[in-house]
Amino acid sequence: MVGSLVHWDTSWRTVLPTNSSSVVSSRTRPCPKFMNWARIDGCHAAASFKEKQPENKGIDVGNMAEAGGNHDLFGLMKQRFLTFKNHTYMKELEHFQALSKAQYPKFMVIACADSRVCPSNILGFQPGEAFMIRNIANLVPLMKNGPSECNAALEFAVTTLEVENILVIGHSSCAGIENLMKIQDVESRSFIHKWVTNGNVAKLRTKAATAHLSFSQQCRFCEKESINQSLLNMLSYPWIEDKVRRGLLSLHGGYYNFSSCTFEKWTLDFNGCTVNEENNSYVIKEEEFWS
Amino acid sequence: MAGEPIDDAIAALSNLLKEKAELGTVAAAKIKQLTAELEAAGSSPFNPDERIRTGFDHFKKEKFEKNPDLYGNLAGGQSPKFMVFACSDSRVCPSHVLDFQPGEAFVVRNIANMVPPYEKTKYAGTGAAIEYAVLHLKVENIVVIGHSRCGGIKGLMSIPDDGTTASDFIEQWVQICNPARSKVKGGAGDSSFPDQCTTCEKEAVNVSLGNLLTYPFVREAVVSKKLALKGAHYDFVNGSFDLWDLDFKVTPSVSLV
């Protein structure tokens, strides 16, 4: 089952200039254990990998897109990992060593799987800052809907990591929301349909509020409405509701419009929310719009 | 400023370290962490709004506005070559570790980067993401990336043999990769628990790769060579990255008569 195992911890040793001050830079501590290890095994590594130091890489989507064949792809992924390693990991070695022992993120982020909206890019989250779920249309189902990928991650983030903020980030032109808005019949034929119907309450509210608007405007409305629905759905988890009630956890919504590059952010006002079987309603506060 | 509670706490710690000197390193690391947190809290309390605002402003100025062609194209649609399953762990975002740029990778993140087997009645989220990626986006590669010190895998390995669980959802979720746990426990020998967890992190990736093949549209795309499945393991303790292929093919039949 396992074929062509590639291990990339030897090659980085050759690209580290052992006489350079730049890697150990401003750290006022003795040579870290990595460097000792590197020097000892450097001669073995140099023999097996004769690689150039990866150049400073600007955004070049073409590289990944044009890679043909497995070897190219492995080569590209290696280059990408080494870029991270040399430009980030080694420069913040002490920080990464501390992180390797434990994580203390202040945020849990729920974002869409869409390739254009990674919160590490658009909000600059660094390693250690945000525990992240990514799924289609950044949806959070109600607890009573049964086991889902979301529940376990929410439980871990809230009860074990004790994050202080949960941020649900939606975005423009979300295909998942568009799918939700297009579904005509109740019967879920595909996985996609079955999953996006977790946002059905948002769809109903959207249809009620925006019947006079175009389909794409309705989708924009639903993208934001579903964020608020997900925030409310989180309150169906008792350990979340308890922490929010006690002021230990805040629930935020965020909306990224990637055509205009704007970001809206708001916070759920817990005291103004009602969550029960017949009806749920929400109030938001601290709205901001960044452009 | 130092009142009794802090004196008692320090005294208790000192006594413990007298009895168990080996805990000194762990205690030192935790005290250092606590000191840093208190210093940071004392100087300015954490403001989540400010944090994300700063991040967004930086992104807009340094990336969006400097690459109008890229972002203009992306606004019209996405065609990523990769689908990635990565752990929700804050330390392993693929955008950092593999430097994925906007538009390159459709990313699902969940506890312990698991792929449940094809199942119509639950875990539709995973099915939806795979269905969208394979049938609509037509990605060419699915990579499942495990990592070191994975809390989810450690949780899986810590479930008692009688199967009793203490959480509402976490343990039920991680048991998707029970076959990995069984394999590791079966062949554990003398290895330490942390070593067993490391092996399980990689075996669980293989279980997930196998589970990917239970989705008919994945199997079809793999057999017709339109899709490749890869496993990976990011070790942030040692700064290394392993990558491997799942080799799956149907050979031409041979007539036996």
Side-chain angles (χ1 to χ4, degrees):
Chain A
M1 197 186 210
V2 171
S4 53
L5 179 77
V6 175
H7 186 71
W8 300 331
D9 75 317
T10 52
S11 62
W12 69 263
R13 298 173 211 164
T14 61
V15 305
L16 272 180
T18 53
N19 60 349
S20 163
S21 59
S22 63
V23 175
V24 194
S25 67
S26 58
R27 309 290 173 205
T28 54
R29 59 192 189 86
C31 186
K33 62 178 182 185
F34 287 100
M35 297 297 282
N36 278 332
W37 183 54
R39 287 203 188 97
I40 290 165
D41 293 341
C43 53
H44 305 297
S48 56
F49 278 95
K50 289 185 169 61
E51 298 286 337
K52 283 189 310 192
Q53 184 157 9
E55 293 160 13
N56 277 328
K57 192 189 70 59
I59 293 179
D60 188 352
V61 181
N63 267 342
M64 280 283 185
E66 285 157 17
N70 224 15
H71 183 70
D72 283 352
L73 203 57
F74 272 60
L76 270 168
M77 288 179 80
K78 175 177 172 179
Q79 199 173 50
R80 293 299 187 83
F81 175 67
L82 291 177
T83 299
F84 159 70
K85 176 113 186 210
N86 293 330
H87 294 179
T88 308
Y89 185 94
M90 293 310 297
K91 293 198 165 139
E92 302 284 333
L93 194 53
E94 203 174 286
H95 173 59
F96 278 93
Q97 283 179 316
L99 268 187
S100 73
K101 296 186 173 66
Q103 53 171 333
Y104 300 99
K106 292 263 193 267
F107 283 95
M108 175 181 193
V109 174
I110 297 157
C112 187
D114 191 302
S115 63
R116 302 166 282 188
V117 303
C118 178
S120 299
N121 283 319
I122 62 175
L123 295 179
F125 285 117
Q126 297 305 305
E129 287 194 302
F131 188 81
M132 221 180 279
I133 293 177
R134 289 183 71 184
N135 63 34
I136 295 251
N138 41 275
L139 293 168
V140 178
L142 280 166
M143 186 171 100
K144 69 172 186 174
N145 285 3
S148 77
E149 297 80 347
C150 253
N151 314 128
L154 282 170
E155 190 181 356
F156 187 75
V158 174
T159 65
T160 302
L161 295 180
E162 298 188 304
V163 297
E164 296 164 6
N165 301 279
I166 301 182
L167 172 62
V168 178
I169 307 176
H171 69 96
S172 55
S173 305
C174 182
I177 295 296
E178 191 183 323
N179 241 289
L180 167 66
M181 291 295 288
K182 277 184 179 160
I183 295 173
Q184 295 295 337
D185 54 52
V186 182
E187 195 61 38
S188 319
R189 274 188 279 269
S190 68
F191 274 120
I192 297 174
H193 284 188
K194 198 166 159 54
W195 171 251
V196 298
T197 48
N198 278 307
N200 224 25
V201 173
K203 174 178 176 174
L204 295 172
R205 289 196 173 193
T206 300
K207 291 283 190 198
T210 62
H212 57 290
L213 297 179
S214 70
F215 180 71
S216 69
Q217 286 171 317
Q218 290 183 17
C219 286
R220 295 298 80 74
F221 187 97
C222 192
E223 281 153 6
K224 295 184 193 179
E225 189 59 37
S226 77
I227 296 168
N228 290 322
Q229 212 46 57
S230 288
L231 295 178
L232 280 184
N233 286 352
M234 278 197 270
L235 294 175
S236 70
Y237 294 82
W239 18 269
I240 293 183
E241 200 255 7
D242 177 61
K243 287 208 166 191
V244 174
R245 179 185 300 283
R246 291 192 287 145
L248 299 172
L249 175 62
S250 298
L251 306 182
H252 312 273
Y255 181 78
Y256 170 48
N257 184 322
F258 53 56
S259 302
S260 55
C261 197
T262 56
F263 196 91
E264 293 169 59
K265 170 257 134 200
W266 60 92
T267 301
L268 199 69
D269 186 348
F270 177 71
N271 293 323
C273 294
T274 311
V275 182
N276 57 45
E277 285 289 340
E278 297 81 42
N279 168 47
N280 61 43
S281 64
Y282 60 85
V283 173
I284 60 177
K285 62 180 181 180
E286 291 161 18
E287 285 180 83
E288 294 186 36
F289 182 87
W290 307 327
S291 62
Chain B
M1 200 161 77
E4 285 178 17
I6 181 69
D7 292 336
D8 288 345
I10 293 174
L13 180 60
S14 300
N15 286 335
L16 176 67
L17 290 175
K18 277 181 199 147
E19 287 171 34
K20 298 188 178 172
E22 69 274 15
L23 293 177
T25 322
V26 171
K30 293 206 178 210
I31 290 169
K32 199 172 164 185
Q33 168 85 26
L34 175 64
T35 309
E37 276 179 28
L38 290 171
E39 269 171 357
S43 53
S44 54
F46 180 72
N47 183 331
D49 293 357
E50 209 175 281
R51 172 61 194 87
I52 62 179
R53 169 123 217 201
T54 307
F56 180 69
D57 285 346
H58 182 265
F59 162 72
K60 180 148 189 175
K61 289 189 181 65
E62 299 303 321
K63 296 193 181 178
F64 189 89
E65 288 171 355
K66 289 187 176 172
N67 295 279
D69 288 345
L70 168 66
Y71 287 96
N73 285 337
L74 288 179
Q78 55 169 334
S79 52
K81 296 275 183 256
F82 287 89
M83 175 181 194
V84 174
F85 281 88
C87 186
S88 295
D89 192 299
S90 64
R91 302 166 283 190
V92 304
C93 180
S95 298
H96 293 127
V97 180
L98 290 177
D99 204 25
F100 279 120
Q101 300 304 311
E104 288 192 314
F106 188 77
V107 177
V108 169
R109 291 182 71 182
N110 60 40
I111 296 263
N113 43 273
M114 291 192 177
V115 182
Y118 181 89
E119 156 82 76
K120 288 203 161 184
T121 56
K122 66 180 187 183
Y123 300 138
T126 306
I130 301 173
E131 186 180 284
Y132 188 69
V134 174
L135 295 180
H136 297 265
L137 295 179
K138 300 194 190 332
V139 297
E140 295 171 6
N141 302 277
I142 302 183
V143 190
V144 179
I145 309 177
H147 71 94
S148 51
R149 305 245 169 109
C150 182
I153 295 296
K154 187 175 169 188
L156 170 65
M157 292 292 287
S158 304
I159 296 173
D161 290 335
D162 64 5
T164 50
T165 57
S167 62
D168 290 348
F169 302 108
I170 302 173
E171 285 150 309
Q172 186 180 30
W173 169 257
V174 297
Q175 284 180 317
I176 286 169
C177 284
N178 242 354
R181 171 203 152 94
S182 305
K183 181 172 180 181
V184 171
K185 293 247 182 218
D190 288 333
S191 28
S192 65
F193 184 69
D195 285 347
Q196 289 179 38
C197 285
T198 302
T199 309
C200 193
E201 283 154 12
K202 297 176 184 174
E203 282 303 328
V205 167
N206 288 334
V207 170
S208 288
L209 291 175
N211 286 346
L212 277 170
L213 288 173
T214 63
Y215 293 78
F217 36 85
V218 172
R219 198 162 56 241
E220 197 194 303
V222 170
V223 168
S224 56
K225 297 195 193 310
K226 292 185 191 140
L227 178 66
L229 305 184
K230 298 183 191 302
H233 184 262
Y234 166 46
D235 183 338
F236 50 60
V237 180
N238 297 309
S240 65
F241 194 96
D242 290 354
L243 180 68
W244 62 93
D245 272 328
L246 177 69
D247 215 358
F248 177 85
K249 59 179 180 284
V250 178
T251 61
S253 63
V254 173
S255 180
L256 296 179
V257 290

